[in-house]
Amino acid sequence: MAVSRIGTQNLSRLSKYSDILVAGLVVLILVMMVVPLPAFLLDALLVFNITCALVILLLTMYTKDALEFSSFPSMLLIATLFRLALNVSSTRLILLHGYAGHVIEAFGNFVVGGNYIVGMVVFIILVIIQFVVITNGAGRVAEVAARFTLDAMPGKQMAIDADLNAGLIDEEEARLRRRTIELEADFYGAMDGASKFVKGDAIAGVVITLVNIIGGIVIGIVQLGLPVQEALQRYALLTVGDGLVSQIPALLISTATGIIVTRAAAQSSFGQEVTGQLLAQPRALAIATVLLFIFGLVPGLPKVPFFALAAMSGALTYVVSIYKEAEVKAGKESKEQAPQARQPESVMPLLAVDPLELEIGYGLLSFADETSEDGGLLRRVTMVRRQIALELGLVLPHVRIRDNIQLPPTNYVIKIHGVEVAQGEIMVDHYLAMDSGIVTQPVSGIETSEPAFGLPALWITRSEKERAEMAGYTVVDPVSVIVTHLTEVIRRHAAELLGRQDTADLIENVRKTKPAVVDELIPNLMTIGEVQKVLQNLLREGVPIRNISRILETLGDYAGVTRDPDILTEYARSSLARVISSRYRGPDGEIVVATVDPEIEERIAKLMEAGPDTRMTGQDANFTQAVVSKVADMAGKMAGSGHQPIILTRPGVRFYLKRMIERVLPNVVVLSYSEITDDEKVRSVGMVSLSEN
């Protein structure tokens, strides 16, 4: 245990200074090209070079994904540079002393039997294998992989954004996937260039070998006075040994390059993958066994190798067949143990309904492509979720964006809980121009209506955009039109989008910081469903629920008196008076309102006392119709003078008055006196009265 702990500490210390070690190694490689090395040190470095090449090759075989060895291109450069530095050092020793250590001598004498011609032939064959076969193929694969990876990046980015908007992944997972895509593109791009190092190394090996032979012969004949045959034997043999020592690690590195660029992402190592796939079909092994046996019977061919291989192949076929039969038997037994009756198809996933959907025609698909010039829809929808959260305090579900071929190409549909609530049509390659009220001159375009608010507008071409802006028009792009429409639909239907689970999540978020508020209210005084109804009532009239802790405190104060959600909503509105007042304050700092005749308020109070279940008489119906008519007249006057229609009444009747007029006049705001803070400036411009005066 002590030894293991010491080893771990040393390894940790080594990794801490690994950057310094790598930098020092690169500097030493460059120094090797200038400073002469002794023969014993050259031997050690040559063995180290072969060892590094073997380790790199084995690492590539155990790598499941190319990104697990993302440093391979840089390592390939360093290994190539190291090998060339060794060539320079060995060349210096060969030409100066006619000796370059035991390693080179052993390769020159033992590996090729002391015959420099055989050694030269072997060296050339190794260079051809490396240069023509492995390096050329690996470089081509890396080039194609880099090209395809770059071409696939936009589609992969869109898939990530779609999964993010659909809620299948979170932002951290999306960020990780984007980083992986970038690393893949960088890796294959780097491998496309790094393969040129290996190709250049092969060429340099041939050139260095020829220069060494020629230089050795010249030195041996001219300087040392050796016969031509002896000079050729000594220097050519050492040079060939040096070339073999260099080319074997180069061949290993180039093989590793080919393996890593041809590997796809897998769940197992290279050896396991190859073995599993080769032995997957026992029939192929059986056919190979028969063919080997037939070749052994052919006169003139050596029988021992063919029969031996046929026996080995037959034995392997037998073992694999038994294993496959055992797998099949186990599978049948598991099926027999399972219920024999066919299980009915699960239709539960078909019942799932997305809370919020945006369907687009195929002509608008470019808006969802972040790489396109017209793209940005996915990003803007994400911004809408943040905007609604800050504005209303509502955490929207993920907006599902999907294409619908049944729609006209340029149309879109907004659905809530699977039901269409809004639609619109977009003119691609056009801009929407709206009259801002300060237009100096008209522009030509196609007349239409702005889908969010129904305002008159024009579809103008890109060339007219600048002129329309200078003329005073408000010009927006098609993506902004869709996003604005979606935002307004969400505001109008915010109450429908607040589910019970959403309410529970909001309450749990409050519990993290103010547990006493939640524990007092739930479940002793109110249920989550009752709290949900109160929050929905607030959202239905555009009151933000962002300060939900204040709302819960108010409910805790009055839930012991009544559990009527409508009455509790009025109490909650009063506690949010400052928020409500600020929403309707005009540019001049005043809240412009129209009051309600006390006679109408008294009549409404009597209707409230009768109870909601009381049948409405004809007289009551006429009263309701008259009130709606008078409110409509007042709202028209206020809108005509540039003011938002706001009706101010006493607290006890506000809710009932709003219910009376909301079907006909949904945009008229009804406030109570308790919802206006004392420091607000209120200006009345009229009174809603049933009297003619």
Side-chain angles (χ1 to χ4, degrees):
M1 293 294 292
V3 175
S4 176
R5 184 164 57 252
I6 294 172
T8 304
Q9 293 176 353
N10 293 332
L11 184 61
S12 176
R13 192 178 296 111
L14 181 63
S15 63
K16 183 178 180 180
Y17 299 102
S18 59
D19 54 343
I20 300 176
L21 293 176
V22 173
L25 178 62
V26 174
V27 173
L28 288 175
I29 291 173
L30 298 176
V31 171
M32 285 169 54
M33 296 185 179
V34 181
V35 178
L37 298 178
F40 72 90
L41 182 57
L42 181 62
D43 286 342
L45 293 177
L46 289 173
V47 174
F48 178 74
N49 184 31
I50 297 174
T51 304
C52 289
L54 281 172
V55 171
I56 292 173
L57 176 62
L58 294 174
L59 281 175
T60 58
M61 297 184 70
Y62 283 97
T63 299
K64 299 177 182 178
D65 190 356
L67 293 183
E68 293 182 6
F69 205 176
S70 58
S71 61
F72 183 80
S74 301
M75 191 174 296
L76 184 62
L77 171 61
I78 296 175
T80 303
L81 188 63
F82 181 55
R83 196 159 54 250
L84 292 174
L86 290 175
N87 275 335
V88 174
S89 299
S90 60
T91 298
R92 187 184 294 111
L93 288 176
I94 292 172
L95 297 180
L96 286 176
H97 307 292
Y99 177 74
H102 295 291
V103 175
I104 292 177
E105 186 178 11
F107 270 83
N109 292 316
F110 177 74
V111 177
V112 296
N115 192 325
Y116 63 87
I117 297 177
V118 176
M120 184 64 67
V121 173
V122 173
F123 172 76
I124 293 174
I125 292 174
L126 289 177
V127 170
I128 293 174
I129 293 173
Q130 178 189 348
F131 184 76
V132 179
V133 181
I134 300 177
T135 304
N136 195 30
R140 179 58 178 167
V141 172
E143 180 184 354
V144 174
R147 186 182 305 167
F148 282 141
T149 302
L150 291 174
D151 292 342
M153 282 188 66
K156 292 181 179 179
Q157 294 282 6
M158 288 180 60
I160 294 171
D161 293 334
D163 290 346
L164 179 62
N165 284 292
L168 301 177
I169 58 175
D170 55 12
E171 292 187 1
E172 184 66 27
E173 178 68 19
R175 193 179 301 110
L176 181 62
R177 290 190 183 183
R178 292 191 186 98
R179 180 58 179 164
T180 302
I181 294 173
E182 294 174 1
L183 290 176
E184 284 182 354
D186 294 341
F187 175 79
Y188 286 109
M191 285 303 302
D192 185 22
S195 61
K196 306 298 188 299
F197 300 151
V198 182
K199 185 180 295 185
D201 180 42
I203 298 173
V206 175
V207 174
I208 292 173
T209 301
L210 293 176
V211 170
N212 285 351
I213 292 175
I214 295 172
I217 293 173
V218 172
I219 292 174
I221 296 175
V222 177
Q223 293 186 355
L224 302 179
L226 299 175
V228 176
Q229 184 65 26
E230 185 178 351
L232 186 61
Q233 177 70 23
R234 176 188 297 184
Y235 290 99
L237 195 61
L238 290 174
T239 301
V240 170
D242 179 32
L244 292 176
V245 172
S246 300
Q247 285 305 309
I248 289 176
L251 183 61
L252 295 176
I253 294 292
S254 61
T255 304
T257 304
I259 291 175
I260 200 167
V261 298
T262 54
R263 287 222 60 195
Q267 300 297 323
S268 57
S269 63
F270 178 70
Q272 293 174 339
E273 194 176 8
V274 170
T275 304
Q277 293 176 6
L278 288 178
L279 302 180
Q281 299 293 334
R283 187 175 300 176
L285 294 174
I287 295 173
T289 302
V290 174
L291 291 176
L292 287 171
F293 184 78
I294 293 173
F295 282 137
L297 297 177
V298 175
L301 292 179
K303 301 183 181 302
V304 174
F306 283 103
F307 287 152
L309 287 175
M312 294 174 58
S313 179
L316 185 60
T317 303
Y318 178 74
V319 173
V320 174
S321 300
I322 293 178
Y323 178 74
K324 291 294 182 181
E325 289 178 1
E327 280 190 340
V328 173
K329 186 177 180 181
K332 290 182 178 179
E333 290 178 354
S334 62
K335 289 181 178 180
E336 291 176 356
Q337 294 175 358
Q340 296 297 323
R342 182 179 179 182
Q343 297 295 329
E345 181 184 0
S346 177
V347 296
M348 294 300 294
L350 303 177
L351 301 180
V353 178
D354 294 311
L356 190 58
E357 296 177 80
L358 174 62
E359 295 184 351
I360 58 178
Y362 65 85
L364 307 180
L365 290 178
S366 61
F367 295 165
D369 185 2
E370 295 295 323
T371 62
S372 170
E373 182 181 354
D374 300 324
L377 180 61
L378 300 175
R379 184 181 66 258
R380 297 281 295 277
V381 168
T382 303
M383 294 174 61
V384 168
R385 296 183 72 244
R386 297 176 181 176
Q387 178 184 346
I388 294 298
L390 294 173
E391 181 181 330
L392 296 178
L394 174 65
V395 180
L396 286 176
H398 289 278
V399 183
R400 179 68 61 91
I401 302 177
R402 61 179 64 176
D403 60 312
N404 188 348
I405 60 175
Q406 297 180 350
L407 289 175
T410 57
N411 283 31
Y412 66 90
V413 170
I414 302 173
K415 293 183 178 181
I416 293 180
H417 297 298
V419 180
E420 178 183 330
V421 295
Q423 62 174 342
E425 184 178 2
I426 298 295
M427 291 196 67
V428 185
D429 297 329
H430 284 69
Y431 286 84
L432 191 70
M434 294 171 289
D435 191 347
S436 62
I438 56 172
V439 174
T440 57
Q441 60 180 5
V443 296
S444 58
I446 302 173
E447 295 184 358
T448 185
S449 295
E450 195 274 332
F453 305 101
L455 301 175
L458 296 172
W459 285 112
I460 62 175
T461 60
R462 294 177 182 266
S463 59
E464 292 286 328
K465 177 177 179 293
E466 185 175 354
R467 194 165 71 89
E469 291 175 339
M470 295 180 62
Y473 284 90
T474 301
V475 182
V476 294
D477 59 277
V479 174
S480 298
V481 174
I482 298 175
V483 172
T484 303
H485 194 186
L486 177 64
T487 305
E488 290 303 313
V489 169
I490 291 172
R491 289 195 182 103
R492 289 197 297 267
H493 299 271
E496 301 178 43
L497 294 172
L498 180 67
R500 191 147 306 176
Q501 184 60 51
D502 303 319
T503 305
D505 294 339
L506 292 174
I507 294 173
E508 286 301 317
N509 189 51
V510 176
R511 190 191 297 273
K512 295 177 182 178
T513 56
K514 300 179 180 180
V517 176
V518 179
D519 294 339
E520 180 189 6
L521 180 63
I522 298 173
N524 299 325
L525 298 177
M526 296 183 69
T527 63
I528 294 178
E530 291 170 336
V531 176
Q532 176 196 2
K533 292 178 181 178
V534 173
L535 298 180
Q536 286 178 329
N537 287 339
L538 294 173
L539 290 173
R540 192 173 288 110
E541 297 190 44
V543 179
I545 60 172
R546 189 177 178 185
N547 193 358
I548 189 170
S549 61
R550 181 67 179 274
I551 298 173
L552 296 180
E553 288 178 358
T554 304
L555 296 180
D557 294 336
Y558 296 99
V561 180
T562 178
R563 298 181 67 169
D564 187 333
D566 297 337
I567 298 176
L568 291 174
T569 301
E570 297 304 301
Y571 286 127
R573 289 177 62 94
S574 298
S575 67
L576 300 175
R578 192 166 300 280
V579 177
I580 296 174
S581 300
S582 63
R583 289 178 63 86
Y584 302 111
R585 188 185 304 129
D588 54 357
E590 294 181 337
I591 302 177
V592 180
V593 301
T595 58
V596 180
D597 189 349
E599 180 183 351
I600 296 178
E601 292 176 341
E602 289 293 334
R603 186 75 177 272
I604 293 175
K606 291 181 180 180
L607 290 175
M608 292 176 62
E609 292 175 358
D613 298 331
T614 305
R615 182 180 296 274
M616 181 177 290
T617 63
Q619 187 177 1
D620 296 334
N622 293 333
F623 167 73
T624 301
Q625 186 176 359
V627 171
V628 172
S629 177
K630 294 297 182 180
V631 172
D633 293 340
M634 181 58 67
K637 294 178 182 179
M638 297 180 71
S641 56
H643 300 298
Q644 183 179 2
I646 301 176
I647 305 300
L648 186 64
T649 186
R650 72 187 195 188
V653 301
R654 190 213 70 85
F655 181 80
Y656 201 91
L657 178 60
K658 177 63 178 177
R659 289 294 182 264
M660 289 174 64
I661 68 172
E662 64 179 355
R663 289 186 177 274
V664 182
L665 305 169
N667 296 325
V668 175
V669 179
V670 181
L671 301 179
S672 69
Y673 293 105
S674 62
E675 298 168 4
I676 306 290
T677 57
D678 297 335
D679 55 347
E680 291 289 348
K681 297 179 180 179
V682 181
R683 178 164 62 92
S684 177
V685 295
M687 177 182 291
V688 178
S689 176
L690 297 180
S691 63
E692 296 296 330
N693 295 327

